[in-house]
Amino acid sequence: MLTLIIAESSLEVVPKEILEHPQIQGYVKKFGKNSEFVLLDKSYHYEAMNKLKWKEKRGRPDIVHFTLLEALGSPLNLEELLQTYVHTINNQVIHVNPKTRLPRNYNRFVGLMEQLFQKSKVPLEKQPLLILKKSSLKTLIEKIKPSTTIALTRLGKPSTPTKTAQKLGKHKNPVVLIGGFPRGHFTTETLKLSNEQVCIDPSGLDAWITASRILSSYEEAINLPEKRFSTIKKT
Amino acid sequence: MLTLIIAESSLEVVPKEILEHPQIQGYVKKFGKNSEFVLLDKSYHYEAMNKLKWKEKRGRPDIVHFTLLEALGSPLNLEELLQTYVHTINNQVIHVNPKTRLPRNYNRFVGLMEQLFQKSKVPLEKQPLLILKKSSLKTLIEKIKPSTTIALTRLGKPSTPTKTAQKLGKHKNPVVLIGGFPRGHFTTETLKLSNEQVCIDPSGLDAWITASRILSSYEEAINLPEKRFSTIKKT
């Protein structure tokens, strides 16, 4: 079982300090949102975000959306061999049930996240598929007790996706960390939580590309494509 | 050079026959759109689409959005070894300049596509990055003159992404076809244009997952990860 953590993700509700900004208020009014739980989105709140600390790393829910779609739709996840978590820049953690069928439409995804930040779980009826908790990345990793944790970062040692995945494949319970933010690097605190830092490409790849490269290579490393053909009838 | 064609994609403007439907008219009014060039979107036009032919295969611009992001952000494309086209269900073809930086925000992507359907190219100033033309898939493939065309489809012969990519890697100018629609299969006409039909997973994978699996394996097949480390300095 591989665990993927999308770490320090730019996913959060609009911070109180900029809630009164005209750009936020206009957005709330236009889309009929509950202003306490509006998701921060650089596409619409660019000016309002001007005074925010670490603003380059914030307000990009689309990164979590794409990366989750990439993870949840992977053959590895379909085979129930992947557990995915989203850790946010504000130290909240979303436990993602592997069976979650995420909205493909971005606006519906944003609505779902706003509900999650408000209610801490969705859906409210039946078994929740997404659960939000206050938790540091350290606490999350301590709970998972991984046999190894590899952080994918441009600051790491160069290695191909295949070699990195083969290393992960030798472990029983490995964790891989991917940055869920658009620019910059993991904090020192995050880097300290990993056993290894690996760079799989000399350019900065988008989070969802990093995810697909490592998941695809991991599937190959554990011979998943062949296994699926031998065990699953075509649907 | 690999050519990726996202074929029979569910990307089109609202057909005239349903333009007067109250759901479309409400949408046009709410978002202040030009009603002649509104992109058909199942998320918002579900009821209006009820009477449309092949409605299961239509109104999903998000599929093209995700799959293009997956293709354009790939190391293969960054290395200028990938050419991507979008062929639509209505026989239009978008030539995508590999240097295009697509909007990450879905609503902005929709706006861009609406502009493209209206003006046939974007941006209007300078060198256009996206060009839309009336063209069948047959005409497009005849222009590319590929050394082989492989269609990825659940109707094909089972083969792993790695084996399929190794086969593509032996060709000088191969084309790979991926379905840009949510359900159903390629038409017989499309299948006839391919030299081989290959199924890379027994379940129906999302188009962007299919794209990432084949691109990732193709990069591996041509040793691209190693090459990039030896030629590119970290940015």
Side-chain angles (χ1 to χ4, degrees), chain B residues 47-82:
Chain B
E47 282 172 39
M49 285 175 66
N50 241 336
K51 285 181 193 163
L52 282 187
K53 233 167 132 180
W54 312 301
K55 61 176 178 178
E56 312 72 31
K57 270 181 101 170
R58 298 170 76 174
R60 289 288 308 276
D62 57 296
I63 294 178
V64 170
H65 187 212
F66 296 147
T67 311
L68 277 182
L69 284 175
E70 195 59 52
L72 295 174
S74 67
L76 192 68
N77 189 62
L78 301 179
E79 200 67 20
E80 300 180 19
L81 293 174
L82 179 68

Side-chain angles (χ1 to χ4, degrees), chain A residues 6-44:
Chain A
I6 311 170
E8 298 182 26
S9 302
S10 13
L11 187 78
E12 62 183 311
V13 294
V14 171
K16 281 204 179 111
E17 56 196 286
I18 62 167
L19 206 51
E20 297 308 319
H21 190 284
Q23 199 178 34
I24 306 285
Q25 286 305 312
Y27 176 82
V28 164
K29 209 173 157 187
K30 183 173 176 189
F31 293 98
K33 303 251 183 193
N34 177 342
S35 70
E36 253 185 285
F37 299 99
V38 174
L39 220 56
L40 185 70
D41 193 328
K42 201 179 172 176
S43 268
Y44 305 109

